[in-house]
Amino acid sequence: MTNHNKLSTSALAKQRQIEPKSLFNELKQLGYITWHDEQWLLTDVGARFGGDYVESEKYGRFIVWPTTWYWMTHSAVTST
């Protein structure tokens, strides 16, 4: 899958009609990303779910996700 078939976390939040900060927090709670040295980093779990990095001259390095990406929501993880 090329990075053309992927969305930034912020674009994914917009697609889901939620605030980017909320999505970043959800992804952190699920263990897909972590905050370190003032930047978001992809975890092994996030990479297994299709997360990747893109380098941009304008924005630097950031995380992207497949456009068809689906993850378990916090409520799905906590309900048994």
Side-chain angles (χ1 to χ4, degrees), residues 6-64:
K6 296 189 177 190
L7 295 172
S8 70
T9 308
S10 296
L12 193 60
K14 184 176 181 178
Q15 183 184 62
R16 294 183 71 206
Q17 299 179 341
I18 60 175
E19 291 295 318
K21 183 177 181 176
S22 295
L23 182 55
F24 278 101
N25 286 332
E26 182 179 357
L27 294 172
K28 181 180 177 185
Q29 287 177 355
L30 293 170
Y32 291 10
I33 60 175
T34 187
W35 183 253
H36 182 72
D37 287 338
E38 299 186 24
Q39 64 179 336
W40 289 108
L41 300 175
L42 192 59
T43 65
D44 289 342
V45 173
R48 280 186 295 216
F49 277 86
D52 201 359
Y53 289 106
V54 168
E55 274 298 325
S56 164
E57 284 187 30
K58 185 174 182 179
Y59 300 109
R61 185 172 85 157
F62 60 94
I63 299 171
V64 293

